[in-house]
Structure formats: structure tokens, C-alpha cells
Amino acid sequence: MGKSGIYVGLDIGTTSIKVIVAEYLKGQLNIIGVGSERSDGLSRGVVIDIDHAVQAIDRAVAQAEEKASLKIKDVQVSLPANLLEIEPCSGMIAIRKNGGTKEIDEQDVMRVTKAALTQQLPPERQIVDIIPDEFTVDGFDGIKDPRGMVGVRLEMKGVVYTGPKTILHNTLRCVERAGLHVTDIVVAPLALSRLALTDGEQDFGSVLIDLGGGQATAAVVHDHKLKYTYVDQEGGQFVTKDISVVLNTSLENAEKVKRNYGYAAGFLAPKDETFNVEVVGQAETAEFTSEYLAEIIEARLTQVFERLKTVLDDISALQLPGGVIITGGQAALPGVKELAEEVFETNVRLFVPTQMGLRHPSFTQVIGLIEYSAHQSEIARVVKKAVFPEIELSSAQLENNDYTSLSATDSEPDKTAVPKKEKVEHKGTFDGVKKFFSTFFD
């Protein structure tokens, strides 16, 4: 059961930035605010222009604040799996006091965590997460939380995730420049698996594919652990560009056509359906069939799936009983499941969130981020605190709902907060809703 309180998930994607404010109460997740804005300053999951990215975050946060009627201060942030490396780690410390035994406390857990992180990393890489598997006290293993126990020797085994330093630094810098405080950092596939996979799929093994706007990420989960990730640097943006080039129309028109008439599998497209598109350099629109459009989309997605299949076959991941689960913005295209079954030659399931108003696969990541943070154990937080002491979020802060209503913050601004850039004014409810749905396929 998740800890009661207010949670804010921030998903900084290549093509869209999403913010969700949720309240956990008696094990029930209630969405009370949503913000969605087109990204700016990102490419293939990586921030390349901090100023532009901060402005997009500001706009998305403003939307969520307006709908939730509260001022957002703290956020949970996801990190992309670009160049992610997964390695086991272990460490051991003595916990004697004056020659005898003592109760194991939080400081001991943090010390044994640091002892497990003694490997030398290249200067361009950094630890982005660590998850404990088990603790051992004086030879007694299988312990999940050793705090309060008595012993003289403490050991920890876990999994450490490392990634490019620039991704973590730029992401945290953007959040800081937006006047927000990061309370948790979660590797994206970990958050996705929490929401999209069933307990059996996580236990027996499955492949989770996130079809995003900027890239496609495959993650292998087995025994409730993230075992492997691979990122293909082509996503929905490449499908849109293909449509733009072939139909000789703008990217904006290509995106609308994909959203309104697109099919991922050509045999599913209505053979008699046609649509008109504005063509560059021509005064009159041109007519195309949905079947022709589907051929363009299918060609690009087939290439992405085939590359993923080659990598997954090399590690025998497609033989896992759970098969393939697909989510992400591009998974909303009709026929994605059928095309994936044809390429991967295994059972495929499409995951769509069930939360009211957010029943679209583009929201899987940010909802999963909240679910992951809310269900994270206390001992996992203590272990992570040894790596990121500056992002600690105490249980009391969660339970006390340390957020302020907009009316209160407007009358008494927080002078100690990091200065935020001036936020863009809303242009009315209709424009806001229209803009919100325009980012669904991002």
C-alpha cells in the first residue's frame, strides 16, 4: 500500500513534458491535477537547451497547479535509460560499539551502502540509482530491513544503475531552474514496470517496450528486477518526418494526419478512406488514402521493432513467459499490437492506464513514476539517501501534505524558494484543453 500524501510526477520527454499531481489516500491513487506541454530543448531523451526546457517545464507545472489548486514545490523525476548500465554490488561493515554489539540504525545502512559503491566509474558516468536486494546480519541472510536488529557485522547486496553524468546533471539543473525540488529520481523503466507489468510478468520475466516520441526503449524485467535495457534512437518523431517527406507536407500537418488517420499495420487501414493534406508549393490540397499512410507508418515501425528484436534475441529475452508489453505515446496507433506480434513472434499485450481522464499510453511513464515513489519502501529510501542526500523526502513530509494552496502562495510568496521564471499566461479553458490533447501522441 502506498504512503498517504501528495505526489507530483514530472516526466521530461523528448516531445512532451507531463506533470501529474496525485493524492494517495487509503491505498487509492486520485489524480487531482494534470499538465502537458510540448517539449523544447530536448533531443532523443537528452536536454540540449536548458533555458528552453525550463520554459516548457514552467508551462506544464502551471497547468497542473491551476487544475490541482495548489503550489507545486516537490517533484519526482524520471531519467531515460540512455546508455544505462546495470551491475550487482555488495558491501560489508563492522557495527561493533565499544567491543560489543549495537542496534543497527539508519547511519549503519548508509555506511554499508557506501561500502558497496567502491567501484571506480569513468569520469563521464555517475550512479543514478541503487536498489537493495537483501541484508545479512552476522551470517543471517534474506533480511529486508536490518534496522533495529543487533549484530557485529552488516552486509548488503543490491543492484546499482549508472548512466551518463550529463543526463542526470542537465535534468536536475532544469528542475532546479524551474524553482522545484527533486524528492526522488527514478530510472524510467523501473517506474514503467511498476505500473504496466503484472506481478506474474515481473516474476517470470517480460519485455517492456516504451514507444516514445523521441526514442523506443526496451527493458527486460525478471524476478521483479530490471535486468537489461536498450534504447533505439528512433521514435514517433521519425514516423512524423517520414509522413512529412513522402506526402510533401509540413511536420505539423503530418502529425495531425498520423493522429487522425494513422494505422501501424497496413492490413487494418480502411481501403476506401481518404483524406486531404496541404502540400508545400501547391495551392490546392492533395488526396491520399489511409492505406497508403499506413504503409509509411508500418515501414518505420517495422524497422524499429526489427532492431529491438535482434538485440532481444541475442539475450533470449523474447523466450520469457511474459512476452512483450508495449506502451508509450506511439502505442496508441491502431495496429501496433498486431505489427509487434508479427515481428517479435511472441505474445504481445498493449498497456493503457486506467485512471479517469488519462486513459492513453502516453501517460504510463508519469503515472508509473508516482506509483513507484509512493510504494518505495523506507529501507530503499535510506539506501538511496546514501547516494543522493540532497533529495531526501521524509515520511512526515509525505503524510503532512507539505503543499500550499495557490491562493495562499499568491498572497505570501516564498522568498526562500529558488526564483522561477515568469510563467506563460493561460489563454482560456478551450485553448488549454485543445493543447492538452494535441500532445497525446508525443
Side-chain angles (χ1 to χ4, degrees):
M1 179 180 293
K3 293 182 175 63
S4 299
I6 299 293
Y7 294 82
V8 181
L10 172 60
D11 177 29
I12 307 175
T14 304
T15 55
S16 70
I17 292 177
K18 294 179 176 64
V19 178
I20 287 184
V21 184
E23 181 181 20
Y24 243 109
L25 187 62
K26 297 181 179 179
Q28 182 68 37
L29 177 68
N30 300 309
I31 306 296
I32 60 176
V34 180
S36 182
E37 275 288 328
R38 289 196 177 276
S39 291
D40 197 5
L42 284 97
S43 176
R44 298 181 179 183
V46 180
V47 176
I48 59 175
D49 189 317
I50 291 179
D51 288 337
H52 286 156
V54 169
Q55 292 171 15
I57 293 173
D58 278 340
R59 293 193 296 269
V61 169
Q63 286 185 27
E65 287 179 336
E66 183 180 33
K67 293 179 175 66
S69 298
L70 53 79
K71 186 72 173 177
I72 294 175
K73 299 179 181 178
D74 302 321
V75 295
Q76 291 87 42
V77 179
S78 62
L79 289 178
N82 298 51
L83 301 178
L84 185 71
E85 292 184 2
I86 306 171
E87 298 179 7
C89 65
S90 61
M92 180 181 68
I93 62 169
I95 52 177
R96 294 179 181 177
K97 184 177 183 180
N98 299 326
T101 62
K102 67 178 282 288
E103 282 194 1
I104 300 171
D105 56 22
E106 182 175 303
Q107 295 300 318
D108 295 318
V109 173
M110 293 178 64
R111 285 199 300 120
V112 75
T113 300
K114 292 177 180 179
L117 300 175
T118 56
Q119 68 266 42
Q120 294 292 325
L121 292 177
E124 72 276 5
R125 298 190 66 80
Q126 185 170 347
I127 296 173
V128 296
D129 205 349
I130 180 171
I131 297 178
D133 285 336
E134 67 170 355
F135 294 87
T136 301
V137 178
D138 294 345
F140 294 96
D141 58 7
I143 298 171
K144 295 301 180 182
D145 188 347
R147 292 176 298 174
M149 298 181 179
V150 173
V152 297
R153 187 177 72 253
L154 175 65
E155 301 174 61
M156 186 197 82
K157 293 181 180 179
V159 179
V160 62
Y161 302 92
T162 65
K165 185 177 295 184
T166 182
I167 292 181
L168 179 62
H169 173 82
N170 291 354
T171 300
L172 295 180
R173 176 63 68 185
C174 286
V175 178
E176 175 188 334
R177 289 273 299 275
L180 303 171
H181 173 240
V182 177
T183 58
D184 200 3
I185 299 173
V186 182
V187 176
L190 287 173
L192 279 172
S193 63
R194 165 72 69 175
L195 181 66
L197 301 184
T198 65
D199 185 73
E201 288 169 341
Q202 294 183 59
D203 187 12
F204 288 93
S206 304
V207 177
L208 177 60
I209 296 178
D210 178 19
L211 288 179
Q215 55 193 22
T217 303
V220 179
V221 179
H222 182 249
D223 194 23
H224 292 272
K225 299 173 185 176
L226 179 63
K227 298 290 189 177
Y228 177 82
T229 62
Y230 173 78
V231 177
D232 186 271
Q233 296 298 337
E234 291 186 7
Q237 283 182 328
F238 286 81
V239 176
T240 303
K241 289 178 181 178
D242 289 346
I243 298 172
S244 174
V245 172
V246 175
L247 303 189
N248 196 25
T249 188
S250 67
L251 288 173
E252 182 179 0
N253 288 334
E255 181 66 26
K256 291 179 181 178
V257 166
K258 181 181 71 172
R259 185 168 62 245
N260 295 329
Y261 304 100
Y263 288 83
F267 71 91
L268 292 177
K271 299 187 182 302
D272 57 348
E273 184 179 60
T274 62
F275 56 90
N276 293 322
V277 179
E278 295 180 3
V279 177
V280 176
Q282 296 184 18
E284 296 183 357
T285 60
E287 185 178 78
F288 298 95
T289 64
S290 294
E291 189 175 20
Y292 182 56
L293 176 63
E295 292 176 1
I296 302 171
I297 298 173
E298 181 178 347
R300 176 63 69 173
L301 289 181
T302 299
Q303 288 181 359
V304 174
F305 285 160
E306 287 179 345
R307 286 194 296 269
L308 293 178
K309 183 178 188 299
T310 299
V311 174
L312 294 171
D313 276 339
D314 288 343
I315 58 174
S316 302
L318 293 176
Q319 298 178 17
L320 293 171
V324 175
I325 295 85
I326 298 181
T327 191
Q330 302 307 303
L333 283 169
V336 164
K337 177 179 180 294
E338 290 77 5
L339 180 62
E341 286 177 336
E342 181 180 333
V343 175
F344 293 121
E345 298 177 320
T346 187
N347 55 303
V348 176
R349 180 171 68 86
L350 185 67
F351 178 81
V352 179
T354 58
Q355 280 76 10
M356 185 68 68
L358 300 178
R359 293 171 181 171
H360 192 280
S362 64
F363 287 100
T364 305
Q365 177 64 68
V366 67
I367 297 174
L369 178 59
I370 292 175
E371 289 276 4
Y372 186 91
S373 293
H375 288 87
Q376 194 169 200
S377 66
E378 284 297 324
I379 192 64
R381 291 182 182 276
V382 173
V383 168
K384 183 174 288 189
K385 181 181 174 182
V387 182
F388 301 108
E390 72 278 5
I391 66 168
E392 176 189 8
L393 177 62
S394 66
S395 299
Q397 188 176 16
L398 285 172
E399 294 167 358
N400 293 337
N401 297 346
D402 189 20
Y403 289 85
T404 312
S405 66
L406 276 177
S407 58
T409 55
D410 288 342
S411 59
E412 296 181 8
D414 183 4
K415 297 181 180 179
T416 63
V418 178
K420 294 185 70 173
K421 293 190 175 184
E422 184 177 354
K423 292 184 177 177
V424 177
E425 295 292 336
H426 292 279
K427 297 182 179 179
T429 304
F430 177 75
D431 288 343
V433 172
K434 184 169 63 173
K435 184 184 297 183
F436 175 74
F437 279 97
S438 70
T439 60
F440 259 12
F441 272 77
D442 296 337

